[in-house]
Amino acid sequence: MEKIANQTILQPLTLDRQLPEGARQHKDDDWMCILCEHIEKNEKDSKKILQHLYFTHHLIISDANDIADLKEYLKFWNKEYKGHKIEEYCTTMLWKQKPDGTKTEEDEKYYLLSDIVPKDKELRLNLQKKQVEIALSRHQFERSDKNYNRGCLYCRSVIDPTRYSYIEHLYSKHFLHLGKPENLVFIDDLIDFLEEKLSNLVCIYCEKIFKDRATLKEHMRKKGHKKINPENEAYDRFFMVNYKIKEPPVKQQYPQKSYTPRDFQESNPVEDDDKEIFENEDSEWSEWSEQDKEILTTCLFCVHKDKDFNELLGHMKLIHNFNFEEITINFNFYKKVKLVNYIRRKVHLKQCLACDENFENAEILLTHLSHENHTRCDIKSFDKPEFFFPTFEDDNFLCHLDNFDENDDMSDDSFGAVISEDRLLSINEDAEMLSREKFIDI
């Protein structure tokens, strides 16, 4: 008896009894179901509670990730739904499929809770405003608090007296870039979050896990991962820019023009519109014709340009002893294209067409071509798939080859063999195998 008497009672005793339905105790950090007493405890995100709502109650919360405080949102609707049917606040949808994806013959009912309901819209807006107020209040405190001190994540230094000086220390001494201090909020939680990752040997940028701290530090240094990943949504709550009140867009009202009977008497809108359209078309065509007159074609060997293609051919025949019409008389269109591209490439590289000799500049090359009569080249040199591609993107000489061919006698057997579809396919395959790096872009 003395032993029992000496024992002290540390807390009041209660009789064992069962709690009534609806009186389950829960913490503020728990996720509550809207329609039943189910609770998800110790969960960092809303994934499990949203899965419960969908699989158990066929309920979908619209834009759940955009709700400022989903826990408070669930608590509100948990109280609001007591004594009410689910259809009173939700949109009903029929779908011949179960939540697990199994097809059904009969329609399954699903429910959508969204801000179409005025009460839901007001709740979301109020939660958003409350979240912004909390963030602004915390941001102001972190800017003015002069009693802060904490050990560095990397070294043994203790930094004080402000959180901003702590962020500056991480950047200046250890090159850990978390952003500008004035743009951050909930800095204590951010440092705790980073400290937990580093303690678990997890890279704060790519989330990879390493075997020891030295390997982790070397990885973050070499890969440039001493920073926050902007694509990681887990860091969004630490930046002030993400605390904005999202309001629905306002439709712009356009003033309506009023017409009087006199407006219709003076002019016919349809005729005026047609007249304006034709005037615009005429002006556009005139601009095009003026632009066509200004298109110049460059000689294959020098910088001489001419508007008339025939005049240009005469220039090459007279100055460079290169008779394009005579040389290509038995060429089909494709061989002409390859010949032009071949000459363009050789002249650009300052190489002789016949002997492949290199020269310092274009003038010496032209002198060599003229003296040695090396403007003609062997067909084997240019009859290759790689010369299907133009050397210069804006080579107008190639555009005249179509018109040049139209003047030829199509019935002449010497025009050249017709390329079959199989041959064209083979040419295309060979052309695709070539590297674009071999060709010059202007």
Side-chain angles (χ1 to χ4, degrees), residues 301 322 339 342-343 346-347 351-357 365 368-369 374-378 381:
F301 300 96
F322 184 79
L339 174 61
Y342 174 78
I343 297 175
K346 285 292 187 179
V347 172
Q351 290 181 353
C352 176
L353 278 61
C355 63
D356 292 334
E357 184 178 352
L365 172 63
H368 168 80
L369 293 176
H374 279 185
T375 52
R376 290 179 176 268
C377 50
D378 186 8
S381 302

Side-chain angles (χ1 to χ4, degrees), residues 46-187:
S46 58
K47 184 177 180 180
K48 286 192 175 182
I49 191 65
L50 293 177
Q51 286 179 344
H52 166 79
L53 290 171
Y54 179 66
F55 285 97
T56 305
H57 305 291
H58 293 194
L59 176 64
I60 303 169
I61 298 178
S62 174
D63 300 323
N65 294 330
D66 295 335
I67 299 176
D69 191 342
L70 187 57
K71 290 180 180 179
E72 289 296 327
Y73 179 88
L74 296 174
K75 289 179 184 178
F76 173 85
W77 283 113
N78 179 271
K79 295 178 182 179
E80 189 68 24
Y81 261 113
K82 294 186 184 301
H84 294 274
K85 294 182 179 180
I86 188 172
E87 292 88 350
E88 293 184 29
Y89 295 111
C90 290
T91 303
T92 304
M93 302 176 293
L94 299 179
W95 197 9
K96 293 184 178 181
Q97 181 175 311
K98 293 184 178 180
D100 59 359
T102 306
K103 300 293 183 180
T104 59
E105 296 182 357
E106 298 181 357
D107 290 330
E108 294 280 338
K109 280 189 176 182
Y110 289 85
Y111 306 97
L112 177 67
L113 182 59
S114 66
D115 56 359
I116 296 177
V117 180
K119 186 173 291 188
D120 185 279
K121 182 178 180 180
E122 182 181 1
L123 172 61
R124 293 181 186 229
L125 185 59
N126 291 335
L127 291 174
Q128 202 170 21
K129 289 180 178 179
K130 182 180 178 181
Q131 185 190 51
V132 172
E133 291 174 358
I134 294 173
L136 289 173
S137 176
R138 181 63 187 180
H139 186 258
Q140 181 63 31
F141 168 76
E142 291 176 349
R143 292 185 63 180
S144 58
D145 182 29
K146 304 294 184 181
N147 299 319
Y148 179 82
N149 66 83
R150 179 168 183 159
C152 176
L153 293 174
Y154 284 90
C155 62
R156 298 180 180 180
S157 303
V158 177
I159 297 91
D160 56 10
T162 64
R163 292 166 178 80
Y164 285 15
S165 58
Y166 188 90
I167 300 297
E168 291 290 347
H169 169 83
L170 291 177
Y171 179 69
S172 60
K173 299 296 183 181
H174 307 289
F175 304 101
L176 180 62
H177 184 55
L178 305 180
K180 293 183 178 180
E182 58 269 21
N183 296 335
L184 299 175
V185 68
F186 304 114
I187 295 178

